[in-house]
Amino acid sequence: MKQEIQEFLAFAVGDLPLPANTETLSGFIAWAQREHIMGQVAAVIDAEPGSKLSDICENAKLRSSYDRRMLTYETDRIKRALLGTGVEPILLKGSAYVAEHLFAGVGRRVSDIDILVEESDLEQVEALLKEAGWQPEATTENEYDQRYYRRWMHELPPLRHAVRRTIIDIHHRLLPRTSRLNPDHLEMIKEARAIEGEALRVLSPTDRFIHSAIHVFGDGAMETPARSFLELYYLYKDLSKAEGQALYARAIEVRSDGPVAAALWVLRQYFGLDIADEGQGLPSLRLRFLIRQLAENRRYRRLAEILLYIRSHYMRMPVRQLARHLWHKAIRRA
Amino acid sequence: MTVVIMKDLPEASVFNALSEKRLALKLGPFATRLNIGDELTQRFILDMYQEAQVEIGNELLCDFSMTVRPPNLYRRFFRKQIVPDPGFNFPAVPLPSALSPLALEMGLNLNVALQCFRFAIFHAGVVAKGSEALIISAKSGGGKSTLTAALMEDGFRLLSDEFAILDIQDATLKAYPRPVSLKNQAIDVVKAFAGSENVSATFTDTPKGNIAYRRIRASDVAAAGQPASASIILFPEFVEGAAPQITQIDLADAAMQLIASSPNYQVIGEPAFTALMVMLDGVQAFEIKYGNTEDSLEIVHDLLHREPS
């Protein structure tokens, strides 16, 4: 099973030619569709024109080119909404990958736009984006959620554009205030750099990788493991040799060594990348077990999903607060 | 394993393949891998899709996958329910297990509406004579499915009762002739002219009242590979007891109405616009009002023989 996933990931990034065996090929494509990485696969493989494979790739490319257009356009609108304020938001995740023309952004499926601003600018940014047409998203517009987000979370309640229906998450930290993991976002903001000619910033390449690792292993973005792994793979490949060597030291500096160790283990385990041990060691046995179950679709996958779900909540807040929060949610739903 | 007509297979092998995710439905431009453990839905497929092409095995590359399953463990055993799972998070409303075939049909519609981008999709029924297609745009209660089913008995072939599937490369319409969904009074109307043996059992108390399906036809499946070009677009309105009425409308208005009914026009963007404009070239569009099925058929006959104005 480990072998199968290694092989699939190698097909997905174009390291191995597609299999001649039709059953393996169809298994691979079904996996790529399930993992929402068909757009990324389509960007690297050559499908014979007129074949079913080329139809499937064409379909995925049309979809991901919309996502790219959407991100580029929305990023531009955000810039415009903040024009003249001096606030230069940091683009995170997909919008940053697209703005920087990274391979991690090619063919990637995205659903929303994530930006990071200094906490002192939060109020102004929210007000200006609302003026520009973004409104509180219906599902979190209630008082409890609004209060909860503002008091405890790392981002404002999501805003949805009234006309274009796109969603923005405005972050002021990388993880909830209550999170067990407490990455030093201020240090990362300090190292952020401007995109040339734009009033927009992005994290440094090293911090970009670290943030992706935090998102996957500290915030539980493991619904589609292959999508997360591809992202880590491409971001890692974009690091220079020196950056790669300094990565783990930087991870310790910004208090994110746990997630980064897990990410590096994944890259060695599943992509066979030759990554020197800079002291990161192995992630915990428990976490390795969970990742394996999920990524390799093993026997305890369901259990692992449930455990990871619980873990993601456990990581997010203290148990007493979690109990209170779930109680509230349960009552409201009933 | 090669592609065969489902009715040529032993029932047991279809049942097993459906439960084991080893059956792919190959209809029109789409191949869909089915994963269905629910017996009622399996029987529905065996009956309604008997003329469809399927492949048993794991070799066929598929556009979509469709799983019909209980929403959770509890609902597998208590007050049983079922949801379609098209392979992405979709907040489908769970249905009682007695209505499980509806979950399948709903799910297959979701596949096309939300996962297809290489064709521009419009919510409409499409039938054709030769290579000339008639698009029947949907308005709720407009009688799209009834008129579509009636035209099927009137020498037209069915492309789809749910979607106009526009090829963005050559602006032709593709056929995806799944069972026609009939609601409430339409069930008896269609039984009367299609024969009740061609219509499924009626599902009662669905979110949309009573629903039944008209079985797919071998002739439509055989012709599914031949594309058709739009020649007339209808926007029907059924008004009890109304006298038949035909109003030709501007193509720009027709285009706007079609676009409003499309789940993926905005996503595809410019290629969808271009294909739609090419499709509309030489087409005539009409709003029609009618009070019964005979009148609607007559209107269609009139329009087909009318000289282009």
Side-chain angles (χ1 to χ4, degrees), chain A residues 22-27 29-30 33-34 36 52-53 55-56 58-60 62-63 65-66 69 109 223, chain B residues 21 29-31 33 58-63 87-89 115-118 168-169 266-269 271:
Chain A
T22 48
E23 208 170 312
T24 313
L25 180 64
S26 125
I29 294 297
Q33 289 167 330
R34 219 168 38 240
H36 300 300
K52 188 71 189 175
L53 182 59
D55 285 348
I56 293 173
E58 187 56 30
N59 198 61
L62 281 157
R63 168 74 225 197
S65 69
Y66 167 76
R69 278 201 314 274
R109 284 294 313 271
E223 275 178 4
Chain B
K21 216 176 167 175
F30 304 123
R33 186 159 298 285
N58 294 319
E59 291 179 24
L60 200 69
L61 286 175
C62 290
D63 300 272
F88 57 95
N89 279 332
Q115 288 180 297
C116 173
F117 306 103
R118 64 193 170 96
I168 55 177
Q169 308 294 333
Q266 309 292 346
V267 176
I268 301 169

Side-chain angles (χ1 to χ4, degrees), chain A residues 72-249:
Chain A
T72 309
Y73 187 79
E74 294 302 324
T75 304
D76 182 71
R77 295 295 99 172
I78 293 169
K79 199 173 69 186
R80 187 179 183 153
L82 302 180
L83 197 70
T85 59
V87 177
E88 297 190 355
I90 298 173
L91 303 177
L92 297 175
K93 306 281 288 179
S95 46
Y97 309 158
V98 167
E100 292 186 273
H101 308 287
L102 299 183
F103 217 84
V106 178
R108 188 172 187 272
R109 284 294 313 271
V110 274
S111 49
D112 47 20
I113 303 131
D114 297 294
I115 60 172
L116 173 67
V117 300
E118 273 89 352
E119 202 168 350
S120 52
D121 293 330
L122 209 50
E123 215 171 301
Q124 186 187 11
V125 169
E126 186 182 15
L128 287 171
L129 288 179
K130 279 185 174 165
E131 228 169 83
W134 278 279
Q135 297 169 348
E137 157 72 350
T139 51
T140 48
E141 212 188 343
N142 62 83
E143 200 194 327
Y144 177 80
D145 279 343
Q146 287 285 327
R147 199 153 32 92
Y148 188 89
Y149 265 94
R150 287 168 202 280
R151 182 150 176 217
W152 301 114
M153 292 295 278
H154 51 310
E155 59 195 9
L156 292 176
L159 296 177
R160 191 189 275 277
H161 195 276
V163 178
R164 302 192 298 274
R165 313 303 296 157
T166 47
I167 291 190
I168 301 188
D169 286 327
I170 309 168
H171 299 245
H172 50 89
R173 320 161 47 95
L174 298 179
L175 286 177
R177 294 181 209 273
T178 51
S179 176
R180 266 155 230 271
L181 196 69
N182 181 21
D184 189 347
H185 60 283
L186 296 176
E187 172 57 35
M188 289 163 95
I189 291 176
K190 219 184 284 169
E191 289 295 314
R193 46 206 63 182
I195 301 179
E196 215 186 310
E198 311 262 15
L200 297 165
R201 288 178 293 166
V202 287
L203 296 175
S204 77
T206 310
D207 289 348
R208 190 165 68 203
F209 178 87
I210 294 174
H211 176 233
S212 174
I214 292 171
H215 190 64
V216 178
F217 300 106
D219 205 18
M222 282 289 279
E223 275 178 4
T224 47
R227 181 169 175 273
S228 302
F229 294 178
L230 278 194
E231 179 178 330
L232 289 167
Y233 172 82
Y234 285 127
L235 294 180
Y236 187 82
K237 292 281 254 190
D238 271 340
L239 298 180
S240 68
K241 194 155 183 244
E243 285 167 336
Q245 281 165 350
L247 172 63
Y248 193 65

Side-chain angles (χ1 to χ4, degrees), chain B residues 252-279:
Chain B
D253 290 336
M256 291 313 286
Q257 290 194 54
L258 285 176
I259 291 170
S261 80
S262 170
N264 69 2
Y265 179 86
Q266 309 292 346
V267 176
I268 301 169
E270 194 269 331
F273 169 78
T274 308
L276 181 61
M277 293 306 119
V278 174
M279 181 192 96

Side-chain angles (χ1 to χ4, degrees), chain A residues 235-298:
Chain A
L235 294 180
Y236 187 82
K237 292 281 254 190
D238 271 340
L239 298 180
S240 68
K241 194 155 183 244
E243 285 167 336
Q245 281 165 350
L247 172 63
Y248 193 65
R250 174 69 175 170
I252 294 172
E253 189 184 1
V254 296
R255 299 192 294 264
S256 307
D257 37 314
V260 169
L264 295 176
W265 177 76
V266 160
L267 295 179
R268 279 198 312 232
Q269 176 85 355
Y270 294 115
F271 294 92
L273 287 191
D274 181 23
I275 299 172
D277 194 326
E278 306 287 347
Q280 70 267 27
L282 289 176
S284 74
L285 185 63
R286 196 181 47 217
L287 186 57
R288 274 181 286 156
F289 167 81
L290 295 178
I291 296 171
R292 278 201 180 111
Q293 293 299 325
L294 240 64
E296 300 170 28
N297 201 7
R298 283 174 179 247

Side-chain angles (χ1 to χ4, degrees), chain A residues 325-334:
Chain A
H325 178 59
L326 293 180
W327 175 244
H328 239 281
K329 290 268 175 189
I331 290 183
R332 212 184 56 202
R333 201 183 291 179

